[in-house]
């Protein structure tokens, strides 16, 4: 599903250059649930942004579902993002003046899906995350965990090949984090490929594979015995 070879990325700040990814290699197969770990500043978000086609590496190759991701213009990049990827962020990134249903329907609008189908699909995914009853609530009428569920429904609405989540539980208390992980595990159980950035070991233990980044390199990559979130919630 994802093949990354010798990926490098530096940031230029004036005359200084910060080498953040220093030759990252890994493959992710369809159906995996991978945690990317590492301390703050180790390059996790940089890597995830490249995987999400929100940013581009300086060198190396990235192949997503057989498609080389290289030198794309913004139109093609956004088409690939829509077609292949769903995003979840620590800070939810919901649109504050739109209700839950409209937030979830949003990516479908950009894909040209008609109004009726948009709302049917959005409602289906809100049901899936257990929030059909909150379809007409604005984000500020939802708890943190509920907001993240809406964001997950939005990420799934266009049926992406891969779900990318950058510290999806980073703003949530422990119990709510485990509830969100229970949802993510269920989505992965159905076959969706999921990549989570986290620096919390208990969250990583709920994935099936842990990749550790340090100073721009992968220093560990191993399968783990998955802890079910339901053991806690
Ligand atoms: P992590 O997500 O693991 O905390 P990041 O990938 O966000 O790490 O950042 C890695 C390093 O790159 C950090 O030192 C950070 O300050 C720097 N960095 C990240 N984004 C930029 C940017 N747009 N411009 C300059 N430096 C950046
Ligand atoms: Mg980060």
């Amino acid at each position: 599903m994802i093949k990354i070879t010798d990926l490098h990325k530096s940031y230029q700040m004036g005359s200084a250059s910060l080498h953040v990814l220093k030759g990252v290699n890994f493959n992710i197969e369809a159906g995996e649930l991978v945690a990317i770990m590492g301390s703050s500043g180790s390059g996790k978000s940089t890597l995830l942004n490249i995987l999400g086609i929100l940013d581009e590496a300086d060198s190396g190759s990235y192949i997503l579902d057989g498609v080389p991701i290289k030198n794309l213009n913004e139109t093609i990049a956004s088409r690939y993002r829509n077609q292949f990827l769903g995003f979840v962020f620590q800070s939810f990134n919901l649109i504050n003046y739109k209700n839950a249903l409209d937030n979830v329907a949003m990516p479908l609008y950009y894909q040209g899906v008609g109004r009726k189908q948009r709302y049917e699909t959005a409602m289906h995914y809100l049901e899936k995350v257990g929030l059909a009853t909150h379809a007409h609530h604005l984000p500020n009428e939802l708890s943190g965990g509920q907001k993240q569920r809406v964001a997950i429904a939005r990420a799934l609405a266009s049926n992406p090949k891969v779900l990318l989540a950058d510290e999806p539980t980073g703003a949530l208390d422990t119990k709510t984090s485990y509830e969100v992980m229970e949802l993510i595990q269920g989505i992965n159980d159905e076959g969706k490929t999921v990549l989570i950035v986290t620096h919390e070991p208990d969250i990583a233990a709920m994935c099936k594979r842990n990749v550790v980044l340090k100073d721009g390199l992968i220093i560990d990559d191993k399968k783990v015995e998955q802890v079910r979130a339901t053991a806690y919630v």
Side-chain angles (χ1 to χ4, degrees), residues 134-175:
H134 290 64
H136 299 287
H137 288 227
L138 291 169
N140 68 15
E141 298 164 339
L142 300 171
S143 68
Q146 289 170 334
K147 280 187 235 190
Q148 197 59 300
R149 284 171 184 277
V150 173
I152 290 169
R154 178 182 58 184
L156 293 175
S158 45
N159 194 23
K161 302 257 186 189
V162 182
L163 187 66
L164 299 174
D166 196 347
E167 312 231 13
T169 62
L172 306 174
D173 62 72
T174 304
K175 179 170 181 290

Side-chain angles (χ1 to χ4, degrees), residues 11-13 18 20 38-47 166-167:
Y11 292 112
Q12 304 298 333
M13 285 160 299
L18 183 67
V20 177
S39 52
S40 180
S42 57
K44 304 182 298 295
S45 295
T46 300
L47 178 59
D166 196 347
E167 312 231 13

Side-chain angles (χ1 to χ4, degrees), residues 79-215:
R79 194 203 300 152
Y80 285 178
R81 274 197 297 271
N82 258 312
Q83 181 181 342
F84 290 121
L85 304 163
F87 292 92
V88 176
F89 302 95
Q90 177 173 349
S91 52
F92 323 122
N93 292 14
L94 297 176
I95 295 171
N96 288 323
Y97 58 86
K98 286 189 182 289
N99 67 30
L101 188 66
D102 285 326
N103 267 284
V104 178
M106 192 70 130
L108 300 168
Y109 172 82
Y110 288 109
Q111 288 193 345
V113 177
R115 183 182 166 84
K116 184 162 180 288
Q117 182 64 55
R118 247 181 3 246
Y119 285 104
E120 270 177 30
T121 304
M123 201 57 189
H124 167 77
Y125 283 100
L126 273 182
E127 276 164 19
K128 203 175 164 61
V129 303
L131 283 176
T133 50
H134 290 64
H136 299 287
H137 288 227
L138 291 169
N140 68 15
E141 298 164 339
L142 300 171
S143 68
Q146 289 170 334
K147 280 187 235 190
Q148 197 59 300
R149 284 171 184 277
V150 173
I152 290 169
R154 178 182 58 184
L156 293 175
S158 45
N159 194 23
K161 302 257 186 189
V162 182
L163 187 66
L164 299 174
D166 196 347
E167 312 231 13
T169 62
L172 306 174
D173 62 72
T174 304
K175 179 170 181 290
T176 309
S177 293
Y178 293 171
E179 287 166 0
V180 165
M181 283 308 294
E182 183 185 359
L183 176 62
I184 288 175
Q185 287 181 332
I187 291 161
N188 174 253
D189 290 341
E190 291 172 6
K192 189 76 72 191
T193 311
V194 183
L195 232 86
I196 296 177
V197 163
T198 184
H199 56 247
E200 299 162 273
D202 50 345
I203 298 299
M206 292 174 183
C207 299
K208 294 173 174 168
R209 175 179 165 195
N210 290 352
V211 173
V212 182
L213 263 183
K214 188 176 183 195
D215 300 331

